[in-house]
Every structure is written in structure tokens, then in C-alpha cells.
Amino acid sequence: MKLIFSHLPSLLTFLCLLLSAQAPLPSLAVTFGINYGQIANNLPTPIQVSSLLQSISINKVKLYDADPKVLTAFNNSDVEFIISVSNDNIINMRDPTQAQSWLKQNVQPYLPQTKITCITVGNEVFSSNDTNLMANLLPAMQSLYEALQTLGLDGQVNISSAHSLAILGDSFPPSAGSFRQDLVQYIQPLLNFHSESNSPFLINAYPYFAYKGSPNTVSLEYVLFEPNPGVTDPNTNLNYDNMLYAQIDSVYAAIKALGHNDILVRISETGWPSKGDTDEPGATPQNAAMYIGNLLKRISMNQGTPLNPTVPIDVYVFALFNEDMKPGPTSERNYGLFYPDGTPVYSVGLQELSPYSSAPGSFKQKVRRERTFLFTFKFDQFFR
């Protein structure tokens, strides 16, 4: 204790310098991705978003398009991008000429200044009832991959597609995970493509949906990463203390059942709404903060799932902003970590933003308040 107090003046000086610094705190950075949707009429400009994300050390972004304004705004940043081919453009990508033209327009001009590392072809195609779209997904992916090879970009950019967990026929216990039988004809060759091209299998996973559907039987603590007894897989004796990890491992099991153990599963979307309708239990800022905050703690620990403990989870949080023009229930418009003016919807341990001015969209000099909390946490840990 005497040692601590003897160094208190210099420590306080260091704290003051730290809190006055303009740059983000590198030792506190958590490597995770964010989904940047734009179905709204009140969002900040891409340049403002670039400043925001770099101020809170988010270095991976997933888009639902290939917005040139966004890609240009992130020139010479360290942010990696996943860009997307929309569902209504999948069939066009079967044509090698159109695939190459799309890459020349949406990828090639931005490299290497903007780090585009992945292209998702469609979103949750297998959850639709469009069998024609399902049948065209893999050919479109193959065509784009061959176009990347032709342009010499296949070493920088990979091809994937994001899927809903609805593609699973069984998901519990995790070791019994399997794909729906009606989808195996599409997924088997898709997995062969991922294996050959060394690209990840992307899943949109939302434990919230399970809780929303059965709030009386699904443990809230289990889906929020809060302390709980967990669930033990009777086939492997592995214990799961949260639903997201069980969902990830059920996908690994389904992939293995089709003959592959060489494909990485990444979470392309996961999140929790901060607001919902009366029939959407659990959609509160407190629960959203717990879900995202506890998830970020797991990520910061480089934690893997029980089945793959040495493979850190790779996650893109949904979403960056509340999007006021999204259709559907209230929850759909309230998944954001931030309001459009740059203020946080709730605190999750990121460097919290406090508006510098009341003018919407002003992001200058906003990083301040939560640095005190974060440093206090580290300060306390250091002297334990």
C-alpha cells in the first residue's frame, strides 16, 4: 500500500495525460467487426462514420452493398471491409463478364487504399422460398471467384455468403447439428467450394430470437452470457454456458456431417435489440448492454467455443446504428450501438461518445467519458 501511495502523484499525472490524449487506447482495443447498415434517413456521412469507428478502434466493417462513398471515406485506414452482392444481383453474377465488370467497378479501384477482404454473395438466400435463387448462389460465387483469379485479386479477397441459422434442421445438442435435408443438395457443393477456396462459412446467429420465442423456457442468463449452470452436450460431455457458442458448434457439427472439418465458421451478424414491441420480451437497453458487453469480454479473451477452444470466435456485431426506415417490428429499428447523432444507445465498455455539439452529425472531439471508466478498471486490476 505504501508503494502505491508513493507513486500516486506520477500515476495521477499519467491518468491526466491519458484522458487528454486524442488517440484511442491501443491496449484496450477489442478486435471485432461491426455491421454498417444504411436503411435510414438520418445517418451521419461516411467520413463522419470513419472518424467514429477509428476513434473507438473498430477495425472490421461489413456492408450490405459496395457503397463507393463509404469505401472512399475509409481510404488509408486500417479498417477491413466485407462488401456484398445483393440478392437481386446474384443471377447476373453467373455471367463471367458481368462478374468481372462488378469487381472492376466495386473492388479494384479501391485496393489497396481501402482494405476489402471479403465479398458476400447474397444474404440468407437459403432462408427464402426462391429455389431458383438457391440454385444460382454457388454458380455466382464461383464466377466471382474465377474473376478474382483473373484479376489477380484472389489472394486478397475471398468469396462467401451469409446464412441464417434456419438452414439447420437440428441444432441441439450441438454435436447433433445438421443441415435441413431439403438444403443439403445446395449446401454440400457450397462447402466443397469453401474448402477449395479457403473461405469462411458465415452465419447470422441471434440468441435473442430463441429467447423471444420461448421466454418461459429459455434462460435469460444463458443467452446473455451471464453466470448460469450451462447446458451439457450428452454426446461430447462439453458444457455450454451460453447459447451463441452452442449455435456455432452446431454449425461446425453440421459441416462435419457433410464431410468437412477444414472450414472456419464466422459470425457475420449477432446482436440484441434495445427496444421492442409488447410481444418482444427482453428487448431492453440493459439486456442489449449485457449481451454485447459480455460478448466483447469473451472476444477480448481470445476465447473459443467448447468444441474449438483454441480457435478464437470471429464476430461481426449487428449493428452500428439504429436504422429508422427498416420494416418489421420495433426491434428491427433498434439493434444499433449508436444513435445517428453518434451518442451511444447504451454503454458496453467502448470509449463512450459524448456529443461535442447538439448539432446532429457533429462528431468532432466526442471521445471522452468512458476512458475514465476503462482506465479505472485497468488501474484497479493492476494493483490487485
Side-chain angles (χ1 to χ4, degrees), residues 10-43:
S10 59
L11 287 169
L12 290 175
T13 300
F14 174 65
L15 174 58
C16 291
L17 289 172
L18 184 63
L19 294 178
S20 65
Q22 294 298 312
L25 307 181
S27 63
L28 300 177
V30 177
T31 301
F32 70 102
I34 194 80
N35 282 274
Y36 177 11
Q38 299 184 75
I39 306 177
N41 59 9
N42 56 356
L43 296 181

mmCIF file of all heavy atoms in Angstrom, residues 10-43:
data_model
loop_
_atom_site.group_PDB
_atom_site.id
_atom_site.type_symbol
_atom_site.label_atom_id
_atom_site.label_comp_id
_atom_site.label_asym_id
_atom_site.label_seq_id
_atom_site.Cartn_x
_atom_site.Cartn_y
_atom_site.Cartn_z
ATOM 1 N N SER A 10 2.692 10.545 -9.633
ATOM 2 C CA SER A 10 3.054 10.248 -11.025
ATOM 3 C C SER A 10 1.955 9.479 -11.739
ATOM 4 O O SER A 10 1.717 9.658 -12.937
ATOM 5 C CB SER A 10 4.356 9.447 -11.077
ATOM 6 O OG SER A 10 4.224 8.236 -10.360
ATOM 7 N N LEU A 11 1.229 8.623 -10.991
ATOM 8 C CA LEU A 11 0.127 7.885 -11.594
ATOM 9 C C LEU A 11 -1.009 8.809 -11.982
ATOM 10 O O LEU A 11 -1.633 8.654 -13.043
ATOM 11 C CB LEU A 11 -0.384 6.803 -10.626
ATOM 12 C CG LEU A 11 0.519 5.590 -10.458
ATOM 13 C CD1 LEU A 11 0.039 4.729 -9.297
ATOM 14 C CD2 LEU A 11 0.556 4.782 -11.737
ATOM 15 N N LEU A 12 -1.294 9.788 -11.131
ATOM 16 C CA LEU A 12 -2.357 10.747 -11.451
ATOM 17 C C LEU A 12 -1.969 11.587 -12.655
ATOM 18 O O LEU A 12 -2.810 11.920 -13.500
ATOM 19 C CB LEU A 12 -2.641 11.642 -10.240
ATOM 20 C CG LEU A 12 -3.325 10.944 -9.062
ATOM 21 C CD1 LEU A 12 -3.452 11.902 -7.882
ATOM 22 C CD2 LEU A 12 -4.699 10.417 -9.466
ATOM 23 N N THR A 13 -0.695 11.947 -12.731
ATOM 24 C CA THR A 13 -0.227 12.700 -13.897
ATOM 25 C C THR A 13 -0.422 11.873 -15.170
ATOM 26 O O THR A 13 -0.892 12.370 -16.197
ATOM 27 C CB THR A 13 1.268 13.057 -13.736
ATOM 28 O OG1 THR A 13 1.420 13.857 -12.570
ATOM 29 C CG2 THR A 13 1.763 13.818 -14.966
ATOM 30 N N PHE A 14 -0.067 10.586 -15.080
ATOM 31 C CA PHE A 14 -0.244 9.688 -16.234
ATOM 32 C C PHE A 14 -1.708 9.570 -16.620
ATOM 33 O O PHE A 14 -2.062 9.584 -17.805
ATOM 34 C CB PHE A 14 0.320 8.305 -15.894
ATOM 35 C CG PHE A 14 0.060 7.271 -16.953
ATOM 36 C CD1 PHE A 14 0.627 7.387 -18.207
ATOM 37 C CD2 PHE A 14 -0.759 6.183 -16.690
ATOM 38 C CE1 PHE A 14 0.387 6.444 -19.179
ATOM 39 C CE2 PHE A 14 -0.997 5.243 -17.657
ATOM 40 C CZ PHE A 14 -0.424 5.369 -18.896
ATOM 41 N N LEU A 15 -2.591 9.503 -15.610
ATOM 42 C CA LEU A 15 -4.018 9.414 -15.881
ATOM 43 C C LEU A 15 -4.505 10.651 -16.618
ATOM 44 O O LEU A 15 -5.261 10.558 -17.585
ATOM 45 C CB LEU A 15 -4.793 9.236 -14.568
ATOM 46 C CG LEU A 15 -6.330 9.264 -14.648
ATOM 47 C CD1 LEU A 15 -6.815 8.180 -15.599
ATOM 48 C CD2 LEU A 15 -6.931 9.083 -13.269
ATOM 49 N N CYS A 16 -4.062 11.814 -16.170
ATOM 50 C CA CYS A 16 -4.494 13.054 -16.813
ATOM 51 C C CYS A 16 -4.031 13.096 -18.269
ATOM 52 O O CYS A 16 -4.765 13.504 -19.163
ATOM 53 C CB CYS A 16 -3.955 14.265 -16.058
ATOM 54 S SG CYS A 16 -4.722 14.490 -14.424
ATOM 55 N N LEU A 17 -2.782 12.689 -18.499
ATOM 56 C CA LEU A 17 -2.265 12.671 -19.855
ATOM 57 C C LEU A 17 -3.045 11.680 -20.710
ATOM 58 O O LEU A 17 -3.353 11.949 -21.875
ATOM 59 C CB LEU A 17 -0.778 12.282 -19.848
ATOM 60 C CG LEU A 17 0.178 13.339 -19.279
ATOM 61 C CD1 LEU A 17 1.576 12.744 -19.144
ATOM 62 C CD2 LEU A 17 0.211 14.571 -20.176
ATOM 63 N N LEU A 18 -3.387 10.541 -20.122
ATOM 64 C CA LEU A 18 -4.107 9.514 -20.857
ATOM 65 C C LEU A 18 -5.485 9.998 -21.269
ATOM 66 O O LEU A 18 -5.927 9.824 -22.400
ATOM 67 C CB LEU A 18 -4.224 8.249 -19.999
ATOM 68 C CG LEU A 18 -4.881 7.026 -20.647
ATOM 69 C CD1 LEU A 18 -4.055 6.568 -21.840
ATOM 70 C CD2 LEU A 18 -5.018 5.919 -19.634
ATOM 71 N N LEU A 19 -6.167 10.652 -20.358
ATOM 72 C CA LEU A 19 -7.527 11.087 -20.643
ATOM 73 C C LEU A 19 -7.565 12.257 -21.607
ATOM 74 O O LEU A 19 -8.577 12.507 -22.243
ATOM 75 C CB LEU A 19 -8.248 11.468 -19.342
ATOM 76 C CG LEU A 19 -8.484 10.314 -18.374
ATOM 77 C CD1 LEU A 19 -9.157 10.821 -17.105
ATOM 78 C CD2 LEU A 19 -9.319 9.239 -19.012
ATOM 79 N N SER A 20 -6.466 12.982 -21.713
ATOM 80 C CA SER A 20 -6.439 14.110 -22.626
ATOM 81 C C SER A 20 -5.976 13.712 -24.017
ATOM 82 O O SER A 20 -6.018 14.509 -24.946
ATOM 83 C CB SER A 20 -5.502 15.202 -22.087
ATOM 84 O OG SER A 20 -4.173 14.735 -22.046
ATOM 85 N N ALA A 21 -5.508 12.486 -24.170
ATOM 86 C CA ALA A 21 -4.980 12.041 -25.464
ATOM 87 C C ALA A 21 -6.089 11.974 -26.501
ATOM 88 O O ALA A 21 -7.229 11.663 -26.199
ATOM 89 C CB ALA A 21 -4.325 10.668 -25.314
ATOM 90 N N GLN A 22 -5.733 12.266 -27.746
ATOM 91 C CA GLN A 22 -6.711 12.218 -28.817
ATOM 92 C C GLN A 22 -6.843 10.827 -29.404
ATOM 93 O O GLN A 22 -7.874 10.454 -29.914
ATOM 94 C CB GLN A 22 -6.302 13.201 -29.931
ATOM 95 C CG GLN A 22 -6.357 14.651 -29.483
ATOM 96 C CD GLN A 22 -7.759 15.058 -29.085
ATOM 97 O OE1 GLN A 22 -8.698 14.792 -29.805
ATOM 98 N NE2 GLN A 22 -7.901 15.677 -27.935
ATOM 99 N N ALA A 23 -5.755 10.056 -29.353
ATOM 100 C CA ALA A 23 -5.777 8.734 -29.984
ATOM 101 C C ALA A 23 -6.496 7.738 -29.102
ATOM 102 O O ALA A 23 -6.532 7.874 -27.883
ATOM 103 C CB ALA A 23 -4.341 8.253 -30.232
ATOM 104 N N PRO A 24 -7.115 6.682 -29.701
ATOM 105 C CA PRO A 24 -7.743 5.633 -28.905
ATOM 106 C C PRO A 24 -6.694 4.866 -28.121
ATOM 107 O O PRO A 24 -5.507 4.906 -28.428
ATOM 108 C CB PRO A 24 -8.405 4.741 -29.965
ATOM 109 C CG PRO A 24 -7.680 5.042 -31.219
ATOM 110 C CD PRO A 24 -7.243 6.467 -31.125
ATOM 111 N N LEU A 25 -7.135 4.152 -27.101
ATOM 112 C CA LEU A 25 -6.218 3.418 -26.233
ATOM 113 C C LEU A 25 -5.931 2.054 -26.833
ATOM 114 O O LEU A 25 -6.775 1.167 -26.799
ATOM 115 C CB LEU A 25 -6.860 3.243 -24.846
ATOM 116 C CG LEU A 25 -7.367 4.534 -24.195
ATOM 117 C CD1 LEU A 25 -7.957 4.211 -22.835
ATOM 118 C CD2 LEU A 25 -6.260 5.550 -24.070
ATOM 119 N N PRO A 26 -4.750 1.836 -27.390
ATOM 120 C CA PRO A 26 -4.497 0.579 -28.081
ATOM 121 C C PRO A 26 -4.563 -0.626 -27.185
ATOM 122 O O PRO A 26 -4.968 -1.690 -27.600
ATOM 123 C CB PRO A 26 -3.083 0.778 -28.659
ATOM 124 C CG PRO A 26 -2.470 1.869 -27.838
ATOM 125 C CD PRO A 26 -3.601 2.752 -27.428
ATOM 126 N N SER A 27 -4.180 -0.503 -25.919
ATOM 127 C CA SER A 27 -4.175 -1.656 -25.026
ATOM 128 C C SER A 27 -5.579 -2.120 -24.674
ATOM 129 O O SER A 27 -5.770 -3.206 -24.173
ATOM 130 C CB SER A 27 -3.424 -1.324 -23.736
ATOM 131 O OG SER A 27 -4.084 -0.285 -23.038
ATOM 132 N N LEU A 28 -6.574 -1.252 -24.962
ATOM 133 C CA LEU A 28 -7.943 -1.589 -24.603
ATOM 134 C C LEU A 28 -8.763 -2.007 -25.820
ATOM 135 O O LEU A 28 -9.944 -2.261 -25.709
ATOM 136 C CB LEU A 28 -8.619 -0.374 -23.928
ATOM 137 C CG LEU A 28 -7.940 0.109 -22.654
ATOM 138 C CD1 LEU A 28 -8.658 1.348 -22.130
ATOM 139 C CD2 LEU A 28 -7.896 -0.955 -21.597
ATOM 140 N N ALA A 29 -8.126 -2.025 -26.991
ATOM 141 C CA ALA A 29 -8.860 -2.349 -28.201
ATOM 142 C C ALA A 29 -9.323 -3.800 -28.174
ATOM 143 O O ALA A 29 -8.596 -4.684 -27.747
ATOM 144 C CB ALA A 29 -7.982 -2.105 -29.423
ATOM 145 N N VAL A 30 -10.547 -4.025 -28.646
ATOM 146 C CA VAL A 30 -11.094 -5.366 -28.778
ATOM 147 C C VAL A 30 -11.351 -5.584 -30.257
ATOM 148 O O VAL A 30 -12.029 -4.784 -30.898
ATOM 149 C CB VAL A 30 -12.397 -5.513 -27.976
ATOM 150 C CG1 VAL A 30 -12.982 -6.900 -28.180
ATOM 151 C CG2 VAL A 30 -12.147 -5.246 -26.507
ATOM 152 N N THR A 31 -10.774 -6.631 -30.819
ATOM 153 C CA THR A 31 -10.900 -6.856 -32.253
ATOM 154 C C THR A 31 -12.227 -7.532 -32.558
ATOM 155 O O THR A 31 -12.420 -8.711 -32.278
ATOM 156 C CB THR A 31 -9.739 -7.733 -32.761
ATOM 157 O OG1 THR A 31 -8.507 -7.066 -32.472
ATOM 158 C CG2 THR A 31 -9.841 -7.944 -34.261
ATOM 159 N N PHE A 32 -13.138 -6.755 -33.102
ATOM 160 C CA PHE A 32 -14.404 -7.319 -33.551
ATOM 161 C C PHE A 32 -14.909 -6.480 -34.713
ATOM 162 O O PHE A 32 -14.443 -5.369 -34.968
ATOM 163 C CB PHE A 32 -15.442 -7.359 -32.424
ATOM 164 C CG PHE A 32 -15.977 -6.012 -32.002
ATOM 165 C CD1 PHE A 32 -17.220 -5.574 -32.428
ATOM 166 C CD2 PHE A 32 -15.244 -5.190 -31.160
ATOM 167 C CE1 PHE A 32 -17.715 -4.337 -32.034
ATOM 168 C CE2 PHE A 32 -15.729 -3.959 -30.751
ATOM 169 C CZ PHE A 32 -16.971 -3.530 -31.191
ATOM 170 N N GLY A 33 -15.855 -7.028 -35.453
ATOM 171 C CA GLY A 33 -16.407 -6.323 -36.584
ATOM 172 C C GLY A 33 -17.755 -5.716 -36.269
ATOM 173 O O GLY A 33 -18.388 -6.049 -35.262
ATOM 174 N N ILE A 34 -18.196 -4.838 -37.142
ATOM 175 C CA ILE A 34 -19.496 -4.187 -36.970
ATOM 176 C C ILE A 34 -20.222 -4.192 -38.309
ATOM 177 O O ILE A 34 -19.607 -4.027 -39.371
ATOM 178 C CB ILE A 34 -19.324 -2.738 -36.448
ATOM 179 C CG1 ILE A 34 -20.654 -2.169 -35.926
ATOM 180 C CG2 ILE A 34 -18.741 -1.832 -37.497
ATOM 181 C CD1 ILE A 34 -21.004 -2.626 -34.545
ATOM 182 N N ASN A 35 -21.531 -4.403 -38.276
ATOM 183 C CA ASN A 35 -22.355 -4.307 -39.474
ATOM 184 C C ASN A 35 -22.833 -2.865 -39.632
ATOM 185 O O ASN A 35 -23.454 -2.297 -38.726
ATOM 186 C CB ASN A 35 -23.560 -5.243 -39.359
ATOM 187 C CG ASN A 35 -23.207 -6.686 -39.629
ATOM 188 O OD1 ASN A 35 -23.189 -7.130 -40.769
ATOM 189 N ND2 ASN A 35 -22.907 -7.437 -38.569
ATOM 190 N N TYR A 36 -22.520 -2.284 -40.774
ATOM 191 C CA TYR A 36 -22.841 -0.896 -41.066
ATOM 192 C C TYR A 36 -23.982 -0.872 -42.081
ATOM 193 O O TYR A 36 -23.773 -0.864 -43.277
ATOM 194 C CB TYR A 36 -21.583 -0.204 -41.593
ATOM 195 C CG TYR A 36 -21.685 1.237 -42.040
ATOM 196 C CD1 TYR A 36 -22.810 2.027 -41.784
ATOM 197 C CD2 TYR A 36 -20.620 1.826 -42.717
ATOM 198 C CE1 TYR A 36 -22.868 3.354 -42.198
ATOM 199 C CE2 TYR A 36 -20.667 3.152 -43.131
ATOM 200 C CZ TYR A 36 -21.794 3.908 -42.871
ATOM 201 O OH TYR A 36 -21.842 5.225 -43.293
ATOM 202 N N GLY A 37 -25.219 -0.898 -41.561
ATOM 203 C CA GLY A 37 -26.396 -0.801 -42.413
ATOM 204 C C GLY A 37 -26.791 0.650 -42.616
ATOM 205 O O GLY A 37 -26.468 1.513 -41.798
ATOM 206 N N GLN A 38 -27.521 0.909 -43.699
ATOM 207 C CA GLN A 38 -27.871 2.291 -44.021
ATOM 208 C C GLN A 38 -29.333 2.453 -44.411
ATOM 209 O O GLN A 38 -29.688 3.322 -45.210
ATOM 210 C CB GLN A 38 -26.966 2.797 -45.149
ATOM 211 C CG GLN A 38 -25.483 2.796 -44.802
ATOM 212 C CD GLN A 38 -24.645 3.402 -45.910
ATOM 213 O OE1 GLN A 38 -24.620 4.611 -46.104
ATOM 214 N NE2 GLN A 38 -23.945 2.547 -46.652
ATOM 215 N N ILE A 39 -30.206 1.639 -43.801
ATOM 216 C CA ILE A 39 -31.634 1.778 -44.091
ATOM 217 C C ILE A 39 -32.212 2.819 -43.126
ATOM 218 O O ILE A 39 -32.916 2.515 -42.158
ATOM 219 C CB ILE A 39 -32.368 0.428 -43.957
ATOM 220 C CG1 ILE A 39 -31.672 -0.632 -44.823
ATOM 221 C CG2 ILE A 39 -33.824 0.564 -44.394
ATOM 222 C CD1 ILE A 39 -32.277 -2.011 -44.713
ATOM 223 N N ALA A 40 -31.866 4.062 -43.382
ATOM 224 C CA ALA A 40 -32.247 5.172 -42.512
ATOM 225 C C ALA A 40 -32.105 6.473 -43.289
ATOM 226 O O ALA A 40 -31.397 6.538 -44.299
ATOM 227 C CB ALA A 40 -31.376 5.205 -41.261
ATOM 228 N N ASN A 41 -32.777 7.518 -42.810
ATOM 229 C CA ASN A 41 -32.722 8.815 -43.486
ATOM 230 C C ASN A 41 -32.032 9.879 -42.640
ATOM 231 O O ASN A 41 -32.121 11.073 -42.947
ATOM 232 C CB ASN A 41 -34.129 9.281 -43.863
ATOM 233 C CG ASN A 41 -35.045 9.424 -42.649
ATOM 234 O OD1 ASN A 41 -34.589 9.332 -41.507
ATOM 235 N ND2 ASN A 41 -36.329 9.640 -42.889
ATOM 236 N N ASN A 42 -31.348 9.445 -41.581
ATOM 237 C CA ASN A 42 -30.771 10.426 -40.657
ATOM 238 C C ASN A 42 -29.352 10.059 -40.222
ATOM 239 O O ASN A 42 -28.899 10.484 -39.159
ATOM 240 C CB ASN A 42 -31.665 10.566 -39.424
ATOM 241 C CG ASN A 42 -31.906 9.227 -38.718
ATOM 242 O OD1 ASN A 42 -31.467 8.180 -39.187
ATOM 243 N ND2 ASN A 42 -32.604 9.271 -37.603
ATOM 244 N N LEU A 43 -28.658 9.262 -41.027
ATOM 245 C CA LEU A 43 -27.339 8.786 -40.631
ATOM 246 C C LEU A 43 -26.255 9.822 -40.929
ATOM 247 O O LEU A 43 -26.401 10.644 -41.834
ATOM 248 C CB LEU A 43 -27.007 7.479 -41.359
ATOM 249 C CG LEU A 43 -27.896 6.282 -41.049
ATOM 250 C CD1 LEU A 43 -27.429 5.061 -41.829
ATOM 251 C CD2 LEU A 43 -27.913 5.988 -39.551
#
